[in-house]
Amino acid sequence: MNKPDIFIIITDSARAFFSNSGDDREMPDFYKSLKDFVKCPRAYCSAPSSVMSGASIISSLDAYMISRNYDNFRFNNTFKINNIENLKSIDYDCKGFFVARELREKIGKLVGIDYENLPSKLRFSNRMWSNEDLNQYYNSYLKSNRNNKKPLFNVIWNNIRHDHNISKNLDELSSIIKDHNRWDNSIIFFLSDHGYPTKDKGITPEGLKRDNKTHDLWLTEDNIRIPFYFKTPYDYDYQIDDNVAATDIFPTIFNILGIDFKSSYSSAVSLTSKNKKRSKELKNRSIRVDSRFIGQNQRKTAIIKGYNKLVHNHDLNEFEFFELSDDYNYEKLINSKSREKKSFLEVYNQKEKKALDFQYDSQFSKYSLLNKEIFYGDYDEQLLSYLKENGVKKVDSIDK
């Protein structure tokens, strides 16, 4: 089989459901048209923050492992955690298209940027492009690659904010891919980077701006569950009812391409039917989601397993336990049985240790960091101080 084209299409801030909040973050009707896709109604982001969510997708790591703060991260190439490099090594043409300047600057350099086909009216320095302009730009790129024999890997990241025609623009984007004969037999993902709090919680974009807050502070289901659909040459028209995560994207891609996905730090799962252990791995998995990171105030961590969620408030050192359901906006605070809550605490402690081990190794590696390209800074003194104070020890081995 020829290598399939791969498209990851992310709609910023789109909820996984219709909440009747009357704002511009509701799930696009377009997703209802993806009838030949695999539907994953219980999908989670790794952090309700665009940059951190994107970094976790690219690395298949919990956002907390590579965090500096909610909109920045570290990529230490000693650890080879940028999955896109594996695609480039097998001759994929990798490019990213982002409406937001922040994403172009931070995620774009990890994916690759197309400088040749940018419409004359757009500038990379523009804070935000329209989704229509992004489609025009992407169409020009596909036209220029009409005779390109290389398979394509593209991330197309648009934005639901202030776009009441988002479904029309997503439909147009799909038509562009189809018109260039890139739709059939391709691997395609549609998802959002995170959700958004619903109006019934008293949280609105206007209120957040007034109070100088951001929505990433909440680990409620409406904010961390995401729409998630995919199709591959082996997967179409069925539903996965287990919890899945955006970090599962690259293990799925690699499984189909015959690339081994190995990382002692990742708990991501291949979602393709080619993964014969999929059911068992999904049934036993737990998902970590973080709001804010080391050294930041108002930091929280959620552990989701099955239909329960444990939330740790780091400032208060308090834990809350919730019952979940298939209802996207349901979560009930419960007094859990001690054994059940204890098992979640054990999972939290395991994930915390694994994340801190990784962060320690990314700072004090037994490999020389000299001449290794490290994005967004070398050593982080605040992080190192925190790790030392918490007694984190360097692990014995690192994935090369």
Side-chain angles (χ1 to χ4, degrees):
M1 180 180 84
N2 293 330
K3 294 188 188 79
D5 292 326
I6 303 169
F7 306 108
I8 300 176
I9 300 166
I10 302 172
T11 296
D12 203 301
S13 299
R15 293 191 188 99
F17 65 106
F18 185 81
S19 70
N20 201 31
S21 292
D23 57 22
D24 54 7
R25 270 68 163 178
E26 303 287 23
M27 184 184 79
D29 286 337
F30 166 81
Y31 292 140
K32 297 176 183 177
S33 69
L34 300 175
K35 299 188 183 302
D36 58 338
F37 278 61
V38 178
K39 181 182 180 181
C40 302
R42 298 192 56 80
Y44 288 87
C45 64
S46 185
S49 163
S50 298
V51 172
M52 290 310 308
S53 182
S56 69
I57 290 171
I58 289 171
S59 64
S60 301
L61 295 173
D62 294 336
Y64 176 73
M65 291 193 181
I66 51 176
S67 65
R68 292 178 72 89
N69 54 55
Y70 78 98
D71 68 350
N72 211 336
F73 55 87
R74 70 177 61 76
F75 262 62
N76 179 339
N77 284 0
T78 301
F79 299 95
K80 302 180 190 271
I81 60 174
N82 183 358
N83 288 314
I84 296 170
E85 294 301 317
N86 288 323
L87 295 180
K88 291 178 181 177
S89 71
I90 58 172
D91 215 28
Y92 268 85
D93 185 345
C94 300
K95 295 291 188 295
F97 303 83
F98 308 89
V99 292
R101 181 180 62 203
E102 182 179 47
L103 293 168
R104 293 192 291 272
E105 292 175 347
K106 295 178 178 176
I107 304 297
K109 66 168 61 178
L110 300 173
V111 183
I113 296 291
D114 171 49
Y115 294 98
E116 297 177 4
N117 298 288
L118 184 71
S120 58
K121 66 177 180 179
L122 298 182
R123 296 288 182 271
F124 283 105
S125 59
N126 296 149
R127 180 179 175 275
M128 189 72 68
W129 299 335
S130 72
N131 293 331
E132 291 85 357
D133 286 338
L134 187 73
N135 284 350
Q136 179 187 350
Y137 177 20
Y138 188 59
N139 187 43
S140 297
Y141 164 78
L142 289 183
K143 280 183 179 179
S144 71
N145 279 272
R146 187 170 293 160
N147 298 317
N148 188 354
K149 301 300 182 183
K150 289 185 176 183
L152 304 183
F153 170 81
N154 296 152
V155 177
I156 307 103
W157 196 316
N158 55 32
N159 199 321
I160 199 171
R161 294 179 176 92
H162 311 302
D163 185 357
H164 296 287
N165 294 313
I166 185 63
S167 287
K168 178 182 177 182
N169 283 317
L170 283 168
D171 186 61
E172 179 183 324
L173 176 58
S174 300
S175 295
I176 289 170
I177 297 173
K178 291 174 182 176
D179 289 346
H180 290 279
N181 298 315
R182 300 278 186 176
W183 184 271
D184 295 336
N185 301 315
S186 293
I187 299 173
I188 305 177
F189 290 86
F190 281 94
L191 68 152
S192 66
D193 54 342
H194 54 74
Y196 203 84
T198 53
K199 187 178 180 180
D200 60 348
K201 294 182 176 60
I203 302 169
T204 64
E206 296 76 20
L208 291 174
K209 185 176 182 179
R210 181 187 63 242
D211 298 334
N212 196 29
K213 292 182 178 180
T214 52
H215 75 90
D216 67 291
L217 293 171
W218 281 265
L219 292 181
T220 49
E221 293 291 282
D222 49 6
N223 202 30
I224 63 177
R225 283 175 70 171
I226 57 176
F228 192 100
Y229 302 81
F230 74 96
K231 81 174 186 73
T232 82
Y234 306 94
D235 303 277
Y236 47 88
D237 193 20
Y238 65 87
Q239 182 164 306
I240 297 176
D241 292 318
D242 297 291
N243 294 335
V244 307
T247 51
D248 297 333
I249 288 177
F250 270 94
T252 303
I253 292 170
F254 287 174
N255 197 170
I256 292 169
L257 297 179
I259 301 173
D260 287 337
F261 177 80
K262 293 181 180 179
S263 172
S264 59
Y265 295 104
S266 176
S267 58
V269 174
S270 167
L271 301 179
T272 176
S273 56
K274 285 176 66 67
N275 177 13
K276 301 308 179 185
K277 298 180 181 179
R278 181 181 66 180
S279 295
K280 181 179 179 180
E281 290 174 343
L282 289 176
K283 182 178 180 180
N284 295 327
R285 74 109 50 105
S286 54
I287 294 171
R288 175 174 179 151
V289 186
D290 283 277
S291 161
R292 299 301 167 99
F293 305 98
I294 283 180
Q296 293 184 298
N297 295 325
Q298 304 183 71
R299 179 181 159 216
K300 293 182 180 180
T301 298
I303 302 295
I304 301 103
K305 186 174 182 180
Y307 285 91
N308 289 113
K309 175 171 67 176
L310 181 79
V311 176
H312 180 205
N313 184 318
H314 292 261
D315 291 353
L316 303 176
N317 196 25
E318 292 180 349
F319 292 88
E320 293 180 319
F321 200 67
F322 294 87
E323 175 187 82
L324 309 175
S325 78
D326 289 327
D327 183 337
Y328 288 98
N329 206 23
Y330 175 87
E331 49 191 309
K332 180 181 179 182
L333 185 64
I334 59 175
N335 293 317
S336 63
K337 298 177 182 177
S338 58
R339 181 183 301 177
E340 190 173 32
K341 188 172 182 178
K342 183 179 179 181
S343 70
F344 269 73
L345 288 171
E346 289 174 352
V347 171
Y348 167 77
N349 288 329
Q350 291 167 4
K351 285 184 175 289
E352 188 77 354
K353 181 182 185 304
K354 184 177 287 189
L356 292 176
D357 281 347
F358 179 85
Q359 292 205 5
Y360 189 95
D361 281 322
S362 73
Q363 297 296 312
F364 282 132
S365 169
K366 61 183 173 183
Y367 298 100
S368 170
L369 298 185
L370 188 63
N371 298 324
K372 296 288 185 179
E373 185 178 11
I374 302 175
F375 294 102
Y376 301 111
D378 297 336
Y379 289 149
D380 187 323
E381 295 299 335
Q382 183 182 35
L383 172 61
L384 292 175
S385 175
Y386 178 91
L387 295 174
K388 289 178 180 179
E389 289 172 3
N390 285 270
V392 178
K393 305 296 184 184
K394 184 174 154 183
V395 298
D396 293 331
S397 62
I398 304 172
D399 290 341
K400 294 183 182 180

